[in-house]
Amino acid sequence: RVLEQREKKQRVSRRLIRLQALKLAKELSTSGQQHCAAFTASLGWLEKFLRRNHFALRATTTTCQRPPADSIPKLVDFILFIREQRKQHKYSDGNIFACDETAVWLDPIGKRCVT
């Protein structure tokens, strides 16, 4: 599951790994493997799991992150749309406000992920 998520370039957190392990243990214990019922996915287990599978915990970064390939055409379309709306509705310059500090986040939410 971790490798699948990483191949899709999706963030994998330690919490996600623990939750997935608990889910799997619950499924196994209900199918007759009672030794899985006591499994807790402790932090110690997680550290050993990561080491066994050669995973590392790294800080997420935006270094080398590129905007989507279609961002330039979309930006041009937006500018042309706004220009047309201004002409159509006769907006004066006094009715237009700068909103250039509106944040658009392309980064994952967490600060660390499993790689």
Side-chain angles (χ1 to χ4, degrees):
R1 174 113 169 122
V2 174
L3 294 176
E4 290 171 11
Q5 296 292 89
R6 296 297 303 146
E7 292 223 357
K8 294 178 187 174
K9 305 287 186 203
Q10 293 181 343
R11 182 178 166 270
V12 178
S13 67
R14 293 163 44 110
R15 182 173 182 268
L16 179 69
I17 294 170
R18 290 178 72 197
L19 290 173
Q20 191 67 30
L22 286 169
K23 180 181 171 185
L24 182 60
K26 185 177 180 182
E27 288 172 10
L28 290 172
S29 68
T30 56
S31 68
Q33 298 189 29
Q34 294 304 319
H35 63 281
C36 292
F39 179 73
T40 61
S42 68
L43 290 175
W45 171 85
L46 177 63
E47 291 300 321
K48 290 173 189 162
F49 172 83
L50 293 174
R51 202 173 312 126
R52 262 192 321 271
N53 292 283
H54 308 289
F55 291 126
L57 185 64
R58 301 185 193 272
T60 57
T61 178
T62 59
T63 304
C64 297
Q65 187 180 51
R66 295 187 176 109
D70 63 345
S71 62
I72 300 296
K74 284 186 177 187
L75 183 59
V76 170
D77 288 345
F78 177 72
I79 291 169
L80 294 174
F81 171 77
I82 294 299
R83 184 180 292 167
E84 188 59 38
Q85 291 297 306
R86 280 189 69 192
K87 287 179 185 174
Q88 182 179 349
H89 297 287
K90 299 180 182 154
Y91 294 131
S92 68
D93 289 339
N95 291 328
I96 299 173
F97 301 94
C99 296
D100 60 341
E101 293 185 17
T102 303
V104 176
W105 301 103
L106 301 175
D107 296 334
I109 295 173
K111 295 184 188 244
R112 297 194 181 274
C113 65
V114 175
T115 61

